[in-house]
Amino acid sequence: MKVKSKSCYRVVIETKDRDGKVLKRIEKQGDALTLNFAKLLAMILVGTEELNTKNYANFIEYGGSSETLIIGYSGYNFCYEECYEGYIEIGTGTSPPKPTDYKLENLVKREYVKTINIIYGDNYIEVAISGSITVNTEMDINEIGLTIRAQNNSGYLRYFLLARDVLPSPVHVTTGQTVTITYIFRFEW
């Protein structure tokens, strides 16, 4: 029997004024996890034997080039020096998200993920990944993203898009307002 499944994540976007008062809140089903997300998950779960390395090719970085990441015993391990860091992003692009996306259509700003919470119940687990961006210009946000920065097999840090979402309508923000984005991954049984 084939089981139909929708996206396993949703996003929450909140805009706040300078005093922290919530001005707008949007919650929507996630649009598109990228192939980078699937490759990263496979790489982490498969791993490697002790004192060995494995190369995982064809991660597409923000500039569009194909990169190889290494897991295992290597100075160029994808998380060796600075490890990998999570980022949330905002942009103004409007094209429909696809699994082959490797960047936001029009990135405006990115900021570190600030919190990760794990929530569980009788038949589910949720992982909530959140970060905030204070905008320095008036704009309409149309797209958001979840990205990691990781070391490639040559030792250079690169950005890799994991999820891209287009909002149902633009979110207008003015200078000094904060946008908090939370990606919530839910797994049920």
Side-chain angles (χ1 to χ4, degrees):
M1 170 174 61
K2 188 171 183 175
V3 176
K4 286 189 175 185
S5 177
K6 291 195 177 207
S7 177
C8 66
Y9 78 100
R10 64 188 191 279
V11 291
V12 177
I13 302 97
E14 287 184 338
T15 58
K16 299 175 185 172
D17 66 15
R18 293 173 193 239
D19 298 323
K21 178 184 171 194
V22 175
L23 302 172
K24 187 172 189 173
R25 184 178 194 278
I26 297 170
E27 186 167 343
K28 70 180 281 301
Q29 186 69 35
D31 286 332
L33 294 173
T34 66
L35 292 172
N36 282 341
F37 180 91
K39 291 173 189 175
L40 182 67
L41 185 61
M43 183 177 86
I44 291 168
L45 293 175
V46 170
T48 186
E49 295 174 9
E50 185 178 354
L51 302 179
N52 286 326
T53 61
K54 267 191 188 167
N55 292 338
Y56 290 86
N58 302 318
F59 283 84
I60 307 299
E61 58 90 26
Y62 240 75
S65 67
S66 180
E67 299 282 348
T68 297
L69 300 182
I70 298 174
I71 194 165
Y73 192 73
S74 167
Y76 294 132
N77 183 323
F78 86 104
C79 70
Y80 178 71
E81 269 188 34
E82 296 182 40
C83 210
Y84 52 92
E85 303 163 321
Y87 292 85
I88 49 102
E89 301 176 323
I90 57 173
T92 59
T94 58
S95 66
K98 317 178 285 307
T100 55
D101 286 342
Y102 58 87
K103 65 179 184 173
L104 291 191
E105 184 179 4
N106 188 20
L107 173 67
V108 173
K109 195 169 183 181
R110 76 168 52 104
E111 192 58 61
Y112 290 107
V113 165
K114 298 291 187 205
T115 47
I116 298 177
N117 292 309
I118 298 174
I119 304 137
Y120 60 93
D122 291 338
N123 68 337
Y124 71 92
I125 294 174
E126 288 185 344
V127 179
I129 302 167
S130 184
S132 296
I133 295 174
T134 301
V135 296
N136 52 13
T137 186
E138 187 170 347
M139 64 177 288
D140 286 332
I141 299 169
N142 294 309
E143 63 179 337
I144 59 172
L146 179 64
T147 296
I148 63 163
R149 184 175 78 157
Q151 183 174 248
N152 68 9
N153 65 333
S154 298
Y156 296 104
L157 292 169
R158 301 285 189 248
Y159 292 96
F160 300 94
L161 184 68
L162 303 179
R164 178 172 175 258
D165 295 277
V166 172
L167 305 179
S169 61
V171 173
H172 186 77
V173 290
T174 58
T175 302
Q177 289 182 343
T178 300
V179 181
T180 299
I181 299 168
T182 305
Y183 277 84
I184 302 168
F185 295 87
R186 184 178 179 98
F187 307 95
E188 297 180 1
W189 55 88

